[in-house]
């Protein structure tokens, strides 16, 4: 095994150890949100801004029996709708059916608590097992050009055939992709790709019972109501330092107040976003690499900075590379999708396809260059080893970049939450949660800026693969603060 494959295996084992493996023989023996209890461990008559509270969760099954293991996939949040405020909670799993949820009361007013069971431990265990069994959730179709005719053929990461295949391999990084070899057409004629969803499942009928719509994101019963928080002559404690690359992002990493993100470990300027853009982005080259959630950044820049002009790269279609320029500011912003897998029902070109580590290797880098990386949502349909290999290879590419150009600013945007109810086996946020766990380990101690999109979308209560404009704007503001 190569050094990379050994690291992939080691990382897989570390993530696997964090997933509770559970078997069950009846739905009634699984976690019931209606029977679980949430209590404040040390209730007070008065709460002040900055106080910490701990909510204890005791988990029970549908028969009222106390659960004896952990592994439930939970989401915790405090919020005040009238203040457009929200923050996530940090969850401790004691692996015995008991959890502590730690909240910081960042603002004064009436604070509500949301404690949601997204998947029981039995459901999370089933999703983990099913995901890692094979590559058969997605059907890729490749388009090959034979002079004036097109040939459509099956492609993917694993093709069960004894016929000839076209191999698209990256030997250095151990990346692989295949297409059936079209008759009388060279493998180099591969020009476009599209994806579709197979109807197969790796869940048993019993496991499917765990994922009925009403069971996903169900609120846990609370033994308390609204928490009243007073100022108590306090001001919210903020770190004195401006947000800088290399800082450790805690949990929670911040909170929303009036839909403005306030990090808990550093400060953001109060400068209006357009003014910050105009000042910060002089003489900058910004590379946005990844999926459509960072393409939202590109669109936000373009819609906010009216001086940006699109440069037509003749790729067309929704997922073609985008480039915007401001010649007066000597500013360029580019978005390019990451390499396989890119799962979309729209055809996209593979003529200029490269995996992200190779793209990073092409970035010259200097004090005027910033690179934003995000990936994960398109990897949820495949065994996690595919994601881990890519993440490790990206880390190595970033290390190479920072050796040759140490002044380059590198930002890692974590995966965000998405819709509650789509096909859970393929789309569940549980997969993204594990991705972010892995990234925190793989990029540990790296000199990169972290934008915790997961924490931000949890605090905001965003249930959309493409978060609302308020969330995007706050992510961009944090990015600008990191690089300037």
């Amino acid at each position: 095994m190569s050094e990379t494959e050994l690291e992939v295996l080691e990382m897989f084992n570390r993530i696997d150890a964090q997933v509770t493996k559970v078997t069950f023989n009846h739905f009634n023996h699984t976690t019931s949100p209606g029977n679980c209890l949430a209590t404040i461990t040390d209730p007070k008559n008065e709460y002040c801004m900055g106080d910490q509270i701990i909510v204890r969760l005791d988990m029970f099954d549908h028969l009222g029996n106390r659960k004896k293991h952990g592994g439930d996939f939970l989401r915790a949040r405090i919020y005040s709708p009238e203040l457009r405020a929200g923050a996530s909670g940090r969850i401790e799993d004691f692996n015995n059916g008991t959890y502590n949820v730690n909240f910081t009361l960042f603002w004064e007013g009436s604070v509500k608590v949301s404690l949601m069971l997204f998947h029981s431990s039995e459901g999370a265990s089933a999703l983990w097992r099913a995901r890692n069994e094979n590559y058969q959730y997605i059907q890729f179709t490749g388009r090959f050009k034979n002079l004036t005719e097109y040939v459509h053929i099956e492609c993917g990461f694993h093709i069960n055939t004894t016929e000839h295949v076209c191999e698209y391999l990256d030997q250095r990084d151990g990346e692989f992709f295949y297409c059936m070899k079209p008759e009388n057409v060279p493998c180099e004629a591969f020009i476009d790709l599209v994806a579709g969803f197979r109807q197969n499942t790796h869940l048993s009928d019993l496991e499917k019972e765990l994922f009925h719509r009403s069971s996903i994101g169900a609120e846990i019963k609370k033994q308390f109501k609204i928490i009243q928080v007073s100022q108590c002559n306090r001001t919210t404690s903020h770190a004195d330092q401006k947000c800088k690359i290399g800082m450790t992002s805690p949990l929670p990493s911040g909170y929303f107040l009036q839909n403005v993100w306030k990090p808990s470990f550093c400060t953001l300027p109060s400068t209006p976003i357009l003014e910050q853009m105009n000042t910060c982005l002089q003489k900058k080259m910004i590379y946005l690499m990844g999926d459509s959630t960072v393409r939202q950044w590109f669109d936000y820049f373009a819609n906010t900075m009216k001086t940006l002009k699109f440069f037509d790269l003749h790729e067309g279609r929704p997922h073609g590379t985008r480039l915007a320029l401001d010649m007066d500011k000597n500013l360029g912003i580019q978005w390019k999708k990451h390499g396989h897998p890119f799962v979309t029902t729209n055809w996209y070109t593979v003529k200029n396809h490269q995996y992200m580590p190779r793209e990073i290797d092409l970035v010259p880098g200097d004090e005027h260059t910033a690179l934003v990386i995000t990936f994960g949502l398109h990897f949820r349909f495949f065994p996690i080893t595919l994601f881990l290999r890519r993440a490790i290879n990206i880390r190595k590419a970033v290390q190479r970049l920072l050796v040759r150009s140490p002044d380059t600013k590198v930002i890692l945007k974590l995966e965000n939450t998405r819709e509650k109810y789509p096909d859970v086996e393929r789309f569940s946020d549980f997969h993204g949660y594990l991705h972010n766990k892995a990234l925190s380990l793989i990029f540990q101690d790296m000199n990169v800026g972290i934008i915790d999109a997961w924490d931000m979308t949890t605090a905001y209560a965003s249930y959309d693969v493409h978060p609302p404009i308020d969330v995007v704007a706050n992510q961009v503001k944090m990015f600008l603060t990191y690089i300037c």
Side-chain angles (χ1 to χ4, degrees):
M1 296 177 70
S2 68
E3 178 186 334
T4 298
E5 289 307 307
L6 287 171
E7 192 172 353
V8 169
L9 178 59
E10 178 190 358
M11 191 57 59
F12 176 86
N13 289 335
R14 293 178 70 175
I15 299 300
D16 181 64
Q18 298 185 44
V19 180
T20 302
K21 315 302 186 302
V22 186
T23 58
F24 65 105
N25 55 25
H26 197 283
F27 178 78
N28 285 339
H29 299 146
T30 66
T31 312
S32 166
N35 287 339
C36 298
L37 297 176
T39 55
I40 297 177
T41 59
D42 186 19
K44 299 179 182 179
N45 293 326
E46 181 182 38
Y47 291 94
C48 298
M49 281 175 57
D51 281 353
Q52 309 283 321
I53 64 168
I54 299 175
V55 177
R56 173 186 166 117
L57 299 181
D58 292 292
M59 315 303 275
F60 296 83
D61 67 18
H62 290 270
L63 298 177
N65 300 310
R66 179 180 288 274
K67 297 296 291 289
K68 296 180 180 179
H69 55 258
D72 297 294
F73 182 47
L74 303 162
R75 189 170 300 168
R77 174 178 179 256
I78 53 174
Y79 64 104
S80 298
E82 67 281 2
L83 298 174
R84 296 183 294 174
S88 70
R90 180 174 57 84
I91 300 169
E92 295 178 272
D93 185 351
F94 295 106
N95 299 309
N96 61 2
T98 302
Y99 302 79
N100 276 354
V101 184
N102 301 268
F103 291 109
T104 300
L105 301 175
F106 289 110
W107 62 87
E108 67 173 312
S110 299
V111 176
K112 299 178 181 180
V113 178
S114 171
L115 302 161
M116 302 172 77
L117 176 67
F118 264 73
H119 304 312
S120 65
S121 53
E122 294 79 10
S125 179
L127 290 175
W128 175 246
R129 175 193 54 75
R131 173 186 183 171
N132 289 303
E133 287 195 342
N134 60 51
Y135 290 87
Q136 299 308 308
Y137 287 130
I138 302 297
Q139 168 72 59
F140 287 102
T141 301
R143 181 155 58 195
F144 289 69
K145 189 171 185 179
N146 184 14
L147 298 178
T148 59
E149 296 181 350
Y150 293 99
V151 179
H152 295 85
I153 205 83
E154 179 185 357
C155 298
F157 293 99
H158 176 77
I159 300 177
N160 187 17
T161 182
T162 58
E163 303 296 324
H164 292 296
V165 297
C166 292
E167 297 181 337
Y168 303 100
L169 309 177
D170 187 321
Q171 300 286 358
R172 183 195 71 181
D173 292 344
E175 301 285 6
F176 54 91
F177 196 76
Y178 308 96
C179 291
M180 293 291 294
K181 173 71 169 63
E183 188 174 354
N184 299 321
V185 179
C187 294
E188 292 78 9
F190 182 27
I191 59 169
D192 296 311
L193 193 64
V194 73
F197 295 92
R198 290 192 173 105
Q199 296 305 308
N200 62 328
T201 178
H202 301 299
L203 298 175
S204 68
D205 290 340
L206 180 59
E207 288 169 338
K208 289 176 187 177
E209 291 184 41
L210 302 173
F211 303 112
H212 292 155
R213 191 181 182 95
S214 60
S215 301
I216 302 170
E219 282 285 345
I220 292 173
K221 185 167 54 179
K222 293 178 283 290
Q223 301 299 298
F224 57 92
K225 296 185 179 178
I226 293 174
I227 299 171
Q228 296 295 336
V229 181
S230 302
Q231 187 176 9
C232 303
N233 295 319
R234 296 184 192 174
T235 57
T236 304
S237 177
H238 285 290
D240 295 330
Q241 277 193 307
K242 179 180 82 75
C243 298
K244 295 179 181 178
I245 285 174
M247 286 182 165
T248 301
S249 178
L251 188 65
S253 63
Y255 63 99
F256 277 103
L257 182 63
Q258 299 300 344
N259 283 352
V260 174
W261 181 250
K262 299 180 180 295
S264 60
F265 63 101
C266 60
T267 59
L268 297 177
S270 57
T271 312
I273 190 80
L274 179 58
E275 182 180 335
Q276 193 177 3
M277 285 181 183
N278 285 330
T279 303
C280 174
L281 296 181
Q282 296 275 354
K283 300 181 180 179
K284 289 290 193 297
M285 185 64 212
I286 311 298
Y287 297 92
L288 307 175
M289 297 186 183
D291 56 37
S292 55
T293 64
V294 78
R295 191 178 66 208
Q296 285 185 279
W297 288 26
F298 181 93
D299 294 338
Y300 182 76
F301 279 120
N303 291 331
T304 306
M305 298 185 73
K306 303 302 183 183
T307 54
L308 281 170
K309 305 299 181 185
F310 288 99
F311 188 87
D312 187 0
L313 296 171
H314 306 291
E315 289 192 16
R317 304 176 186 142
H319 306 299
T321 304
R322 300 185 183 187
L323 177 63
L325 303 171
D326 183 330
M327 302 304 290
D328 292 333
K329 291 185 177 66
N330 198 18
L331 164 65
I333 303 176
Q334 176 184 283
W335 173 81
K336 188 171 184 178
K337 66 181 181 298
H338 61 65
H340 309 313
F342 200 83
V343 179
T344 172
T345 55
N346 297 298
W347 287 97
Y348 61 91
T349 182
V350 294
K351 289 180 180 179
N352 62 349
H353 170 272
Q354 288 202 95
Y355 291 110
M356 201 184 293
R358 296 288 183 177
E359 293 285 353
I360 296 170
D361 286 341
L362 295 175
V363 175
D366 59 19
E367 68 272 20
H368 303 296
T369 302
L371 169 64
V372 182
I373 299 165
T374 192
F375 63 107
L377 285 162
H378 292 254
F379 289 75
R380 294 187 182 190
F381 318 105
F382 305 97
I384 200 170
T385 50
L386 189 70
F387 174 82
L388 296 176
R389 183 181 300 105
R390 191 67 49 78
I392 290 166
N393 285 328
I394 288 171
R395 186 203 66 211
K396 291 179 177 180
V398 170
Q399 288 171 328
R400 291 190 293 269
L401 170 62
L402 294 179
V403 166
R404 67 178 179 270
S405 302
D407 292 331
T408 306
K409 308 296 192 300
V410 180
I411 311 298
L412 178 66
K413 184 182 84 67
L414 300 184
E415 209 166 319
N416 55 256
T417 59
R418 63 168 305 159
E419 296 82 359
K420 286 186 188 179
Y421 306 121
D423 181 348
V424 173
E425 189 173 353
R426 296 165 173 80
F427 292 95
S428 172
D429 272 344
F430 180 65
H431 303 314
Y433 166 77
L434 294 179
H435 287 170
N436 286 343
K437 283 259 189 187
L439 289 177
S440 69
L441 295 170
I442 292 169
F443 282 84
Q444 191 173 23
D445 300 326
M446 288 281 292
N447 190 33
V448 300
I450 302 294
I451 294 182
D452 194 340
W454 186 276
D455 195 34
M456 294 176 80
T457 48
T458 297
Y460 193 90
S462 169
Y463 299 104
D464 192 329
V465 67
H466 297 116
I469 190 69
D470 286 330
V471 175
V472 175
N474 281 283
Q475 290 174 355
V476 169
K477 188 169 188 66
M478 193 154 189
F479 160 73
L480 293 170
T481 307
Y482 271 141
I483 69 169
C484 292

